Amino acid sequence: MAPTAGRSHSIVYAPKIQDLLTREEKVFRIDARTVGVSDSELMAEIVAARPVRSAERSVYKPAAGADIHHDNATRTIRALGQDVMAGIKAPPPPARGLSGAWPYAATSYLRRWLFASDPLPVSLLSKRGVTRSDRLSRIVDRAVTVWPGSAAEGRSTALAGQIRDSSDTRERRQAIALYRRSTATLCDGVAALAGNALWLMGPDREREDARADLTEVLWETLRLLPPAWMLFRNDGHAYTGLHPEIRPEDRVALFPLLMHRHPEHWPDPLEFRPERWAGVADPEKTPGFMPFGFDGARCWAKHLVVPLAERLLNVAFDHRLAIRGPQQETHVPLRSLLSVRFDAAARV
């Protein structure tokens, strides 16, 4: 159990995460083939040692039997940005969609908000009930591959347009994979960030001026509970000269979660103090802070995450979202995204 200093609630981490949080050394062996790193300088050297490989990326790893070309990746980033900007300006869906188990309720809410205009076959690509089943995912993928989409069907997102406008079957299959991965990564990440922020704010979220410093709240949440809490790099050959613990056969796990708590970078590192970020023009240049990765390997959607999370929190405050349980303690399971779990209800 890890209490949040100055708050009347605590977070219980999965045992493997809790074990990491008790590590004092900055370079340590996790198992026979994995070395963990939380030293900021060594992490920067590891990221700079070689370009990130396509198989190490979550969104742009190979699909349909081929690598995702840079041009396709760039088009996807632009299309997603266009869809998010349009969504932020549009009225949000009914607030009752925020009630339920977080972060899942928030993820579904964001998908409805940003991608509700897409035809049913396409919208199924990112439905949680579909994505959790490999069999259903394959069925939906095949259906969308032969979907005779056309511009005449009406308004749809720019991401869906990439599927519709594909020139051949392989390009369409890659566009389908990019739609699923990009929408899921964005919505899951924003939902986790907003949920973590709500929990860390504790009773302060009831203050009349709670939304006055939401940007600072989100940056501090990214420090204490970064959704992207671990990054993997395969093949230790590129890193053996950087530290004696790393062997050629090893893979390396980089831990922003641990680096963000080092007292050499952060006074009172376990305290939730949004005021740390007041007046900070570019938080990503802060030493010992890696919320979205390093230069050359930064999150492709980093410019969308904080504004969208802030918009989501404002909707939650507008409808007086109440955390109903658990009130004093919540759990963080071992998942690819670090997110607290709680039940919430919005007033509609």
Side-chain angles (χ1 to χ4, degrees):
M1 183 179 300
T4 304
R7 310 288 175 180
S8 59
H9 55 283
S10 59
I11 297 172
V12 179
Y13 296 90
K16 288 186 177 180
I17 300 176
Q18 183 60 46
D19 176 67
L20 292 170
L21 291 171
T22 61
R23 299 272 188 166
E24 294 185 0
E25 63 270 42
K26 294 183 179 180
V27 181
F28 50 89
R29 185 156 293 279
I30 298 174
D31 56 41
R33 294 289 303 276
T34 309
V35 173
V37 178
S38 64
D39 179 83
S40 60
E41 293 184 1
L42 180 57
M43 289 170 74
E45 290 175 351
I46 288 171
V47 172
R50 65 165 173 81
V52 62
R53 294 171 180 166
S54 58
E56 295 169 332
R57 297 182 182 275
S58 58
V59 175
Y60 301 117
K61 61 187 177 183
D67 287 341
I68 302 293
H69 292 158
H70 181 268
D71 289 347
N72 288 346
T74 300
R75 283 197 298 271
T76 298
I77 293 171
R78 290 175 178 169
L80 186 64
Q82 179 180 334
D83 294 337
V84 170
M85 291 301 105
I88 287 177
K89 295 176 182 177
R96 62 178 176 271
L98 290 175
S99 298
W102 276 57
Y104 305 122
T107 297
S108 297
Y109 186 85
L110 285 166
R111 287 172 176 164
R112 286 196 299 274
W113 193 353
L114 301 177
F115 306 106
S117 63
D118 288 337
L120 177 62
V122 176
S123 67
L124 289 175
L125 289 171
S126 60
K127 296 291 185 183
R128 186 165 176 259
V130 173
T131 58
R132 294 180 69 186
S133 167
D134 290 340
R135 183 179 180 184
L136 282 177
S137 292
R138 289 194 295 271
I139 292 172
V140 172
D141 282 4
R142 286 197 294 269
V144 179
T145 300
V146 299
W147 163 58
S150 68
E153 289 184 339
R155 189 176 70 87
S156 64
T157 64
L159 276 177
Q162 292 194 145
I163 301 174
R164 182 191 62 226
D165 298 337
S166 298
S167 60
D168 56 41
T169 299
R170 189 175 77 173
E171 185 176 321
R172 174 167 283 213
R173 287 175 177 168
Q174 287 202 331
I176 289 169
L178 288 172
Y179 182 101
R180 169 178 284 125
R181 294 172 187 173
S182 58
T183 57
T185 300
L186 177 71
C187 294
D188 290 351
V190 170
L193 174 57
N196 292 350
L198 283 171
W199 182 263
L200 287 172
M201 290 177 76
D204 286 349
R205 60 179 173 267
E206 304 294 334
R207 291 178 10 228
E208 291 186 5
D209 62 344
R211 67 179 80 197
D213 57 354
L214 281 183
T215 302
E216 288 81 5
V217 164
L218 289 168
W219 285 113
E220 181 70 347
T221 300
L222 283 166
R223 184 188 70 83
L224 265 182
L225 287 175
W229 62 286
M230 176 179 63
L231 303 171
F232 269 118
R233 291 292 181 267
N234 299 316
D235 185 8
H237 286 88
Y239 315 126
T240 52
L242 302 178
H243 195 278
E245 183 67 37
I246 304 174
R247 304 173 308 197
E249 64 271 20
D250 286 333
R251 63 177 183 170
V252 178
L254 310 177
F255 290 104
L257 175 66
L258 305 185
M259 181 178 68
H260 291 179
R261 296 165 181 246
H262 286 326
E264 65 188 56
H265 297 300
W266 310 97
D268 302 316
L270 298 184
E271 288 192 12
F272 179 65
R273 291 172 46 189
E275 62 272 14
R276 297 177 200 268
W277 304 100
V280 178
D282 189 350
E284 289 189 84
K285 292 184 178 179
T286 303
F289 188 52
M290 193 183 73
F292 300 114
F294 283 106
D295 287 338
R298 291 192 186 278
C299 171
W300 48 272
K302 74 181 189 70
H303 63 293
L304 305 174
V305 171
V306 172
L308 186 54
E310 186 169 347
R311 185 77 170 90
L312 179 62
L313 287 177
N314 272 302
V315 175
F317 289 140
D318 286 342
H319 294 275
R320 302 180 67 182
L321 185 77
I323 294 179
R324 288 188 167 177
Q327 290 291 334
Q328 301 299 321
E329 181 179 292
T330 191
H331 290 256
V332 171
L334 187 63
R335 296 285 190 275
S336 57
L337 287 177
L338 199 71
S339 58
V340 298
R341 302 291 195 261
F342 56 83
D343 293 324
R347 296 189 181 183
V348 295

